[in-house]
Amino acid sequence: MGEVYLAEDSRLNRKVALKILPADLAANQDRMRRFVQEAKAAAALNHPNIAHIYEIGESEDTNFIAMEFVDGKTLQKRFTAKKVG
């Protein structure tokens, strides 16, 4: 539903993942509600396989979720590797 980017938290000197909800989707109330619901649900969980949510917010009319960056293979690469092997 959103686009995810690698970013730098300049205050804490760490990499973070930023999930951005494109403006055309944010204009849809149902999509925006689901975006906020996703952040709240993930923030309520504490598990090693779930990225920690640091913040949900808006900057310059862009809605975002700032979350823990987990370095490693993408799911697509992991699934492809399993099919081949």
Side-chain angles (χ1 to χ4, degrees):
M1 177 165 82
E3 301 167 352
V4 181
Y5 298 93
L6 176 61
E8 177 76 23
D9 180 339
S10 58
R11 290 184 187 167
L12 299 175
N13 297 323
R14 64 180 174 186
K15 292 180 182 178
V16 296
L18 279 183
K19 184 170 188 176
I20 306 295
L21 187 64
D24 59 323
L25 295 180
N28 179 307
Q29 287 183 349
D30 186 52
R31 295 280 185 150
M32 190 62 209
R33 180 190 58 75
R34 288 173 42 202
F35 188 72
V36 172
Q37 182 180 8
E38 174 189 344
K40 287 181 177 181
L45 301 172
N46 185 11
H47 189 277
N49 294 334
I50 299 173
H52 296 264
I53 303 297
Y54 298 140
E55 178 181 7
I56 182 169
E58 181 181 348
S59 178
E60 299 178 13
D61 297 325
T62 301
N63 293 279
F64 68 88
I65 300 171
M67 65 186 91
E68 174 186 18
F69 168 69
V70 180
D71 197 11
K73 292 181 182 179
T74 64
L75 287 176
Q76 182 179 17
K77 287 183 181 178
R78 292 186 74 139
F79 288 139
T80 302
K82 281 191 173 191
K83 289 180 184 177
V84 174

